[in-house]
Amino acid sequence: MRLRNITGADEVIEKSEYVIKEPEKMKGNWKTVMKQPAPLHIEIGMGKGRFLMDMAKQNPDIFYIGIEKYSSVLLRAVQKMEETPLDNLRFILMDAKEIESVFDKEEVERIYLNFSDPWPKDRHAKRRLPSRQFLERFDHILKADGTLEFKTDNRDLFDFAVEEVKPAGWEIAGITYDLHHDETMNRGNVMTEYEEKFSSKGNPIYKYIIFREH
Ligand code: SAM
């Protein structure tokens, strides 16, 4: 994602009621932010937030949290929320490396990774969100029967992600190498900003759903 320093982004985010400040203080207590008990689903690397806003509109009984590393990107999601506020969606500005300091064991029911940064150099493999290092972090916060859904148009990243599943102690529940032409996997699919952009160029979209081996 192209990054520019946007003047004032930090201030807008600091003031926004839709961005959770000091999220580590909520660890173990996320249920108290929700108006009524609801499953907690998170997207890591949410970008401008279109996927989560559509998901939150469609599923008012699920509470969504979007995590984004850069304030210049999160700003766009915050601005959209100011226009169309949603009760069941909040954002966190943070690096997902620190995710275990924010969510407790089994606190999250589903994790979405959408069009994660590929980090093509081998020496950066552990920065990839579907790497075994990140899967281990996710293992610590996800409910025992929780699932992680990952989609991308990057074949190298997807092949890497698939190879990481077993060694990390997870199993594949569903996989497709052409999401938009796979009737089962595509049912209820909500497109992300990147998905719209790359599929309109004719790129196939790859997706897996994984869960932990018990
Ligand atoms: N998910 C969106 C979509 O599909 O349209 C955005 C995809 S964009 C390629 C990847 C996003 O993930 C960027 O906004 C980037 O800043 C964010 N990101 C990458 N690594 C991250 C990390 N470790 N923690 C939080 N956000 C991260």
Side-chain angles (χ1 to χ4, degrees):
M1 176 161 294
R2 198 161 64 90
L3 289 174
R4 279 174 298 137
N5 256 336
I6 298 182
T7 319
D10 289 327
E11 290 90 305
V12 172
I13 284 167
E14 188 52 42
K15 286 198 189 116
S16 172
E17 62 185 292
Y18 306 118
V19 182
I20 311 268
K21 318 308 170 326
E22 302 187 288
E24 28 328 292
K25 290 194 177 156
M26 295 308 301
K27 183 172 174 171
N29 292 306
W30 282 102
K31 296 267 180 232
T32 62
V33 209
M34 310 168 196
K35 290 218 166 121
Q36 68 249 352
L40 178 58
H41 293 188
I42 66 176
E43 184 189 5
I44 301 175
M46 54 169 276
K48 298 178 195 164
R50 170 178 157 180
F51 170 80
L52 279 183
M53 291 199 70
D54 288 348
M55 292 292 278
K57 273 180 217 150
Q58 279 182 25
N59 304 292
D61 297 334
I62 295 174
F63 194 82
Y64 292 92
I65 293 181
I67 293 171
E68 172 53 52
K69 192 161 61 162
Y70 292 109
S71 56
S72 54
V73 183
L74 183 57
L75 176 68
R76 302 297 179 212
V78 168
Q79 288 167 333
K80 281 189 236 162
M81 275 281 272
E82 308 277 351
E83 281 163 26
T84 321
L86 292 161
D87 265 358
N88 59 330
L89 173 59
R90 292 293 178 267
F91 307 124
I92 300 176
L93 178 67
M94 68 177 282
D95 189 324
K97 244 179 7 190
E98 310 300 332
I99 197 112
E100 292 154 285
S101 64
V102 167
F103 298 104
D104 215 347
K105 204 168 175 294
E106 303 221 12
E107 207 165 18
V108 174
E109 243 117 343
R110 187 174 299 167
I111 297 174
Y112 293 102
L113 307 178
N114 291 320
F115 296 78
S116 307
D117 293 339
W119 293 105
K121 290 187 179 136
D122 283 349
R123 67 190 157 88
H124 290 150
K126 62 175 187 294
R127 296 186 192 174
R128 298 172 191 154
L129 292 178
S131 66
R132 66 189 71 187
Q133 288 83 359
F134 269 102
L135 290 181
E136 194 179 338
R137 295 179 179 114
F138 302 152
D139 180 41
H140 294 151
I141 64 164
L142 194 65
K143 267 200 164 21
D145 59 355
T147 50
L148 181 150
E149 303 197 3
F150 169 54
K151 53 184 174 176
T152 181
D153 70 319
N154 185 312
R155 183 60 190 259
D156 288 342
L157 179 65
F158 193 66
D159 288 343
F160 165 83
V162 170
E163 277 167 27
E164 293 290 89
V165 173
K166 269 265 160 210
W170 296 60
E171 266 188 63
I172 293 180
I175 187 164
T176 176
Y177 287 80
D178 191 356
L179 177 63
H180 297 170
H181 295 101
D182 183 319
E183 206 187 317
T184 312
M185 290 285 283
N186 199 40
R187 201 164 295 134
N189 184 51
V190 168
M191 293 238 254
T192 79
E193 265 119 0
Y194 271 66
E195 183 170 357
E196 178 92 40
K197 183 166 144 192
F198 292 118
S199 63
S200 70
K201 289 183 180 165
N203 296 8
I205 306 301
Y206 314 115
K207 175 172 178 173
Y208 73 35
I209 301 173
I210 59 173
F211 62 102
R212 261 82 50 79
E213 288 171 352
H214 295 296

